[in-house]
Amino acid sequence: MVEVSLSSRESPQENAPQDKSPEDKAPEDRAIEVLEGLLRAMNLPARVSPSAVPQGLGMSPRTVALDIQGQNLALLIGRQGETLASFQYLVNLMVSRHVKGRVPIIVDVEGYKRHRYEALRALALRFADQVRKTGRPVTLEPMPPFERRVVHLTLSAYPDIVTESVGTGMSRKVVIRYREEDEALQPD
């Protein structure tokens, strides 16, 4: 802990850095600052840098994507990315208190989400082909919400395929099936 003492003649404003207030900072700058502070508090030496926002997920144009690089960061990812999802939620909460309007923030670790996104897209397309060949529905393993969303959005462009989430809580799964002839297309 760092202690700062002020003499009776000094005011906090005189010693404050002439930096922008947290509300005046760009959301990306504020998000990097918050993320770096959390990593320091966790005693994890790592770098935070902006990255590309994943395309095809219906993200807001204001979305900020950040990637953490360093060594031994697996603990930030956790089982099936659960720890990373919680960490991202925390960063979103902290940043939202200091910026105007909602700015979604995506936090990735060493490209884990990007690689997972690509793998899920490939998996969804492979199973859609399997459904077309066999005519039988395919039920995927339980997935966190972000991963189910990737599958749904990947296959939304295929008019003959339908996806739906079934189950509750951590047991929610995606079912991929043929669209019935009498089943109306859902408007976007």
Side-chain angles (χ1 to χ4, degrees), residues 165-185:
S165 290
V166 297
T168 59
M170 296 302 291
S171 299
R172 284 187 67 81
K173 306 171 185 181
V174 175
V175 176
I176 303 170
R177 63 179 175 80
Y178 249 129
R179 181 179 307 277
E180 301 291 327
E181 285 186 30
D182 60 341
E183 197 171 1
L185 290 173

Side-chain angles (χ1 to χ4, degrees), residues 39 43-47 68-76 109-110:
L39 292 168
N43 204 21
L44 287 173
R47 292 177 322 282
I68 303 170
Q69 300 98 27
Q71 295 181 350
N72 303 321
L73 296 176
L75 78 120
L76 279 179
V109 174
E110 294 283 339

Side-chain angles (χ1 to χ4, degrees), residues 25-45:
K25 287 187 178 180
E28 183 176 283
D29 294 337
R30 183 66 182 147
I32 289 172
E33 184 179 279
V34 164
L35 199 47
E36 287 174 340
L38 286 170
L39 292 168
R40 269 192 310 277
M42 296 171 70
N43 204 21
L44 287 173

Side-chain angles (χ1 to χ4, degrees), residues 2 4 12 23 30 39 69 71 92 100 102-103 116 119 121 149 151 161 163:
V2 176
V4 177
E23 292 80 15
R30 183 66 182 147
L39 292 168
Q69 300 98 27
Q71 295 181 350
N92 272 282
K100 294 176 181 161
R102 184 176 183 285
V103 178
R116 184 71 180 144
R121 284 184 51 84
R149 179 177 167 85
V151 174
I161 298 293
T163 61

Side-chain angles (χ1 to χ4, degrees), residues 134-178:
T134 66
R136 292 190 201 157
V138 173
T139 302
L140 304 180
E141 293 297 316
M143 296 179 187
F146 172 79
E147 294 184 359
R148 289 194 313 273
R149 179 177 167 85
V150 170
V151 174
H152 290 305
L153 289 173
T154 297
L155 297 179
S156 67
Y158 297 88
D160 60 331
I161 298 293
V162 176
T163 61
E164 60 185 321
S165 290
V166 297
T168 59
M170 296 302 291
S171 299
R172 284 187 67 81
K173 306 171 185 181
V174 175
V175 176
I176 303 170
R177 63 179 175 80
Y178 249 129

